[in-house]
Amino acid sequence: MTYELSGKIKLIQEPKTFDSGFTKREMVVTVEDGRYPQDINLEFVQDKVGLLDNLQAGQEVTVSFDIRGREYNGRYFNNLQAWKVVAAEGASSDPNSPAAAPFAGGGDSFEDQDIPF
C-alpha cells in the first residue's frame, strides 16, 4: 500500500553503508498538522538513496512511501520507506535551473509574449 505526505525538508542525513553492503539515507520532513507540526522521518534504501542528492533543507516536497514493519526479539518496529520525491512546483535545488528563475515579462503565459526573434 502506498502513502504520500507533503511538507518541508527539515534535515537530510548522510548515507550510511553497513558491512553487509546495505545502504540507507534518512530525511526528516515537517508536515503541518493543525496546531502541532510533525517531524516525519523517512528512509531511502539502496538505489533510492540518490533521490536525495539534489534536495536541500527548506524545500517543499511530496514523498511517496510504503510502511514496513518487522518483529525483532519480541518487539515490533515500523519504518517509512520512501521511493519517490517530487519537489514542489517552482522549487528547485539547482539555482541554474530554468524553474529557479522567474519568467521576466508581462502576460499570463509564455505564449502571450512577443518574442523579438
Side-chain angles (χ1 to χ4, degrees):
M1 187 178 278
T2 298
Y3 298 89
E4 270 190 2
L5 65 79
S6 295
K8 187 179 285 190
I9 298 173
K10 181 175 185 173
L11 172 71
I12 299 175
Q13 299 280 351
E14 290 299 317
K16 295 177 189 172
T17 302
F18 300 89
D19 293 337
S20 65
F22 178 79
T23 302
K24 79 173 188 174
R25 191 172 187 187
E26 296 178 334
M27 172 175 73
V28 177
V29 176
T30 301
V31 176
E32 295 301 323
D33 186 25
R35 213 170 145 181
Y36 302 101
Q38 300 294 310
D39 291 334
I40 309 298
N41 187 59
L42 299 131
E43 69 178 21
F44 294 76
V45 297
Q46 300 299 82
D47 62 330
K48 302 301 181 194
V49 167
L51 295 175
L52 300 177
D53 289 346
N54 294 319
L55 299 174
Q56 58 191 1
Q59 265 187 300
E60 293 282 338
V61 292
T62 297
V63 183
S64 299
F65 62 96
D66 296 322
I67 298 176
R68 300 284 182 220
R70 68 189 183 292
E71 181 266 337
Y72 180 76
N73 289 337
R75 296 192 63 200
Y76 293 87
F77 299 89
N78 297 316
N79 295 74
L80 305 181
Q81 195 169 83
W83 46 271
K84 180 180 176 184
V85 180
V86 178
E89 192 135 338
S92 173
S93 60
D94 178 2
N96 298 319
S97 162
F103 177 69
D108 293 331
S109 71
F110 186 75
E111 290 80 30
D112 292 337
Q113 302 301 314
D114 288 331
I115 299 176
F117 52 86

